[in-house]
Amino acid sequence: MTHTRLSDYLQQQQVDDALQQVVHAVSRASNDINHALSKGALAGVLGAAGAENVQGEDQKKLDVIANDLLKATLSAEPAVRGVASEEEPDVVPCHQDGRYLVTFDPLDGSSNIDINSMVGTIFSVLAHTGSEDAVEADFLQAGRQQVAAGYVLYGPSVILVLSTGKGVAMFTLDPDSGDYLLTDDEVSIPADTGEFAINMSNQRFWAEPMQRYIAELLAGKDGPRGKNFNMRWVAAMVADVHRILCRGGLFSYPWDNRKPEQAGKLRLMYEANPMGFLVEQAGGKVWTPEGPILDIQPQQIHQRVPVILGAANEVQRCVDYHQAG
Ligand code: F6P
Ligand code: MN
């Protein structure tokens, strides 16, 4: 069976040349990241880097390696005006005639590295419309403005998931040729589900509507929902969202009362927005308790947001509980 190569797919979708170059740059960097990940302990790349990122989180060595690989590859690409990364405090201006801005989480779920479990790279592409040298204000565009978004999941297979605004396509890395080959272009999230993903250990810190929503799922057949729900939590958003794109489900990382001033754990511009773009393109919903995530006007590149995404009817019900409360 022959599979369409990523490069042919992008041409068929009539993606402009500059955007094609951006996607190819991400795909090249992901090959290099995958190589570093698969060498693991043999290359001495596991463990802590001994520093914190701008979010105050401990960096893993592979967070730093993945960030350096993506930053170097993207900033060498003339189509890229600037980049912003979870691991960089400030935006990085690149080429003055580049058309696109790229934000990324170089290695999402990096606490999974040391247990050889799934991690991923998340990216979002925005058109550049502002100043000559890209500055933070140029990046502060609502998620709905994204021209492309996607992720690479480093798992048993390496999978690139991409949307340029015309649905969602999945490509599997062929380790023999290094090419990403199209393996699914009909990605769709059913509106109903019997599966949810949330870090249950935080339950007692959530707002009352979220506690109620999850308590009703846990009550299963005997509760108000009248059916049993299954739970999964990979602790890497990229892997949990991948499962939802493959077989449906609901994912949430809600606000919790230990840090009331912090909106949530996940970051809007390089986690929630790109994943949200994919989920909406696959027919799902992506909300905070107040409204659609993709409509939020960002105030800064590292801002956080509570996230409820996936099966449209379940997201709606969860949001309804919040709005009624
Ligand atoms: O990037 C943040 C992140 O690692 C997500 O990928 C993941 O969904 C979440 O944090 C895991 O959080 P916790 O450590 O609470 O399980
Ligand atoms: Mn992350």
Side-chain angles (χ1 to χ4, degrees):
M1 186 174 169
T2 55
H3 296 278
T4 305
R5 286 166 30 184
L6 175 62
S7 48
D8 296 329
Y9 172 86
L10 292 171
Q11 296 215 340
Q12 284 162 15
Q13 295 286 309
Q14 298 180 322
V15 171
D16 70 61
D17 283 352
L19 185 53
Q20 289 189 33
Q21 296 318 316
V22 173
V23 174
H24 286 309
V26 172
S27 104
R28 285 196 304 280
S30 74
N31 256 294
D32 294 340
I33 294 168
N34 180 45
H35 190 70
L37 283 167
S38 53
K39 283 209 153 186
L42 298 176
V45 294
L46 303 188
E52 280 187 354
N53 65 15
V54 66
Q55 332 280 329
E57 293 161 349
D58 291 334
Q59 283 180 315
K60 300 280 182 190
K61 287 182 193 160
L62 276 162
D63 282 321
V64 178
I65 292 168
N67 184 57
D68 290 350
L69 285 168
L70 267 165
K71 192 170 72 164
T73 309
L74 283 166
S75 55
E77 177 50 60
V80 176
R81 187 67 154 247
V83 299
S85 163
E86 175 177 343
E87 307 300 338
E88 300 277 334
D90 303 312
V91 306
V92 180
C94 302
H95 298 272
Q96 285 196 345
D97 49 1
R99 290 181 51 192
Y100 292 109
L101 304 169
V102 187
T103 73
F104 51 84
D105 177 351
L107 212 54
D108 177 62
S110 56
S111 64
N112 278 352
I113 290 167
D114 295 338
I115 58 165
N116 199 32
S117 187
M118 281 188 283
V119 290
T121 294
I122 308 175
F123 63 96
S124 158
V125 187
L126 296 159
H128 177 83
T129 52
S131 35
E132 207 164 62
D133 279 325
V135 295
E136 179 171 7
D138 301 327
F139 287 78
L140 302 180
Q141 304 179 34
R144 197 116 9 241
Q145 308 289 327
Q146 292 171 101
V147 293
Y151 62 81
V152 177
L153 177 65
Y154 309 101
S157 306
V158 177
I159 296 182
L160 169 71
V161 179
L162 175 71
S163 178
T164 56
K166 298 177 196 158
V168 179
M170 293 188 180
F171 302 82
T172 303
L173 180 67
D174 175 5
D176 298 328
S177 66
D179 278 334
Y180 280 102
L181 303 179
L182 183 65
T183 40
D184 187 359
D185 62 355
E186 289 178 357
V187 179
S188 153
I189 302 173
D192 293 302
T193 184
E195 196 163 76
F196 68 100
I198 195 164
N199 185 340
M200 284 298 303
S201 67
N202 300 328
Q203 183 178 27
R204 67 192 188 283
F205 305 116
W206 302 331
E208 193 280 325
M210 184 55 81
Q211 300 224 20
R212 173 187 165 202
Y213 173 74
I214 296 293
E216 289 184 3
L217 302 187
L218 294 176
K221 232 175 175 343
D222 306 325
R225 301 299 306 273
K227 75 171 189 179
N228 292 330
F229 286 81
N230 186 32
M231 198 203 88
R232 287 285 182 269
W233 186 249
V234 185
M237 184 193 199
V238 76
D240 281 310
V241 170
H242 186 69
R243 185 186 57 257
I244 289 171
L245 289 170
C246 291
R247 70 175 191 210
L250 172 129
F251 168 96
S252 181
Y253 212 110
W255 171 87
D256 91 38
N257 64 21
R258 284 167 296 180
K259 291 189 183 166
E261 69 297 341
Q262 186 171 293
K265 179 177 188 190
L266 300 176
R267 273 56 55 104
L268 175 64
M269 295 217 61
Y270 39 79
E271 292 181 318
N273 273 347
M275 297 314 232
F277 191 73
L278 295 169
V279 167
E280 274 203 7
Q281 284 289 322
K285 280 189 84 151
V286 192
W287 280 54
T288 69
E290 287 83 36
I293 283 183
L294 296 187
D295 289 338
I296 295 174
Q297 172 57 51
Q299 303 300 317
Q300 52 133 318
I301 47 165
H302 296 296
Q303 97 185 48
R304 298 176 191 259
V305 66
V307 173
I308 310 163
L309 64 77
N313 291 342
E314 286 301 321
V315 173
Q316 187 63 57
R317 176 185 282 263
C318 183
V319 169
D320 286 348
Y321 287 10
H322 284 83
Q323 293 183 344

